[in-house]
Each structure stands twice: as C-alpha cells, then as structure tokens.
Amino acid sequence: LHPWREPALAIRFEMWHVGLRMMERHPLVGVGPNNIYATYPLYIPPGRKMIRGYHDHLHDNAIQFGAERGLPCLAAWVWMMGALGWHALRIRRRLKSLPQARWIPEAVFAGWLAFLVEGLFEFNFGTSPVLMVFLFLISTPFVVENLERSSEKSRGAMA
C-alpha cells in the first residue's frame, strides 16, 4: 500500500521515473551507452534525495534501452522481441514432418514470455548468463525449421 516505504520498491520507482525523464530529455539518442550511472543524479527531481542503492542500470529492459540509447533503439528492440515470439509460434504451426518437435518452439515461446515479464523488473540484457541462455533458446526454433526443410527435401528426392 505504501511502496515508497519499502526500499526495494522505492528505488525501482525512482529508477523508472529517472529513466522516463532521461527519455523525455533525450528521445533520439538517450544519455549514451553505459552512461546511466554517471548521469543518474542529474535526473532526480528537484528537492528529492537520491535513494541509496545500485544505480548502474534502471531495472527495466524497455526503460533502460529508451533512456540509454533513445526511442529509435527502443522501437527496434520491441520490434525484434515481437518478431522472435511471432516466429516461434509460426514455426510451431508449420512443423508437419517433425510433429514430435513441436514442443521446442512451444518451450521457446514460454521462455521468451518469461524473459519479457522478468524484463519489466530487471535489466536482464545486462546479465551475460541470462542473455546467453536467451540467445541459445530463441535460436532453436530456427534450427528445427531448418531440420524440417532438410527432411522434406530428402523425402522429395527419394520419391
């Protein structure tokens, strides 16, 4: 009921407000890559003290990209994430010769969705292990699609 009294919530609200102010002042290019920490204090509202804590990133993927690199980068990231989810579902629907592999794009879609939800509360693109798992996971439906094409070509050659 009182999020500003809870330190973990209060600092996230502060970060999100600061990130939105950064986007408002620098919509095209943001404050620059890796400049959140250096510029953070400049965007604290007048009369307020900065909450003590970790300020290297803004604990939200969308706000981080928009504040750090600008709204065009944010739009490109939103498009890319949407395209990855859409392609996972598209590949699942098209698997005809490998129906036993449909679970792979389904699992990828679930992982993609979990990554997006977690990204509302943490900058998970800034964590290398999470990013490596995501990149591996999101590539697997394309491998399955390629395997199916190869399977269909070899069947066509045999016929």
Side-chain angles (χ1 to χ4, degrees):
L1 296 175
H2 304 284
W4 289 101
R5 292 184 193 165
E6 174 60 41
L9 289 174
I11 196 166
R12 277 188 166 70
F13 284 132
E14 178 189 89
M15 288 177 181
W16 296 340
H17 287 279
V18 165
L20 293 173
R21 289 177 65 134
M22 289 175 175
M23 284 188 268
E24 185 180 315
R25 290 192 189 160
H26 306 283
L28 293 178
V29 295
V31 296
N34 302 318
N35 281 335
I36 297 294
Y37 181 77
T39 60
Y40 191 93
L42 303 173
Y43 297 92
I44 297 291
R48 292 193 83 173
K49 290 174 71 177
M50 192 166 80
I51 297 173
R52 281 186 41 175
Y54 184 80
H55 296 285
D56 283 3
H57 61 253
L58 298 172
H59 291 280
D60 182 291
N61 287 335
I63 293 175
Q64 178 77 22
F65 283 127
E68 187 178 64
R69 297 167 191 256
L71 297 179
C73 175
L74 175 59
W77 178 79
V78 168
W79 174 84
M80 180 190 76
M81 295 306 288
L84 290 172
W86 181 81
H87 280 291
L89 292 177
R90 178 190 61 81
I91 291 168
R92 187 233 179 258
R93 284 191 304 269
R94 296 177 75 189
L95 288 176
K96 304 249 190 293
S97 63
L98 295 173
Q100 69 276 16
R102 283 192 175 164
W103 69 271
I104 295 171
E106 290 169 353
V108 167
F109 186 79
W112 169 84
L113 191 58
F115 187 82
L116 287 181
V117 170
E118 186 211 8
L120 296 172
F121 306 100
E122 184 57 59
F123 179 55
N124 46 20
F125 268 95
T127 307
S128 296
V130 173
L131 184 57
M132 286 188 292
V133 168
F134 175 75
L135 293 174
F136 170 77
L137 184 71
I138 206 68
S139 68
T140 55
F142 299 100
V143 173
V144 171
E145 183 180 43
N146 194 27
L147 288 172
E148 180 173 44
R149 284 184 190 149
S150 297
S151 173
E152 288 173 354
K153 284 181 184 177
S154 66
R155 283 190 187 140
M158 290 181 179

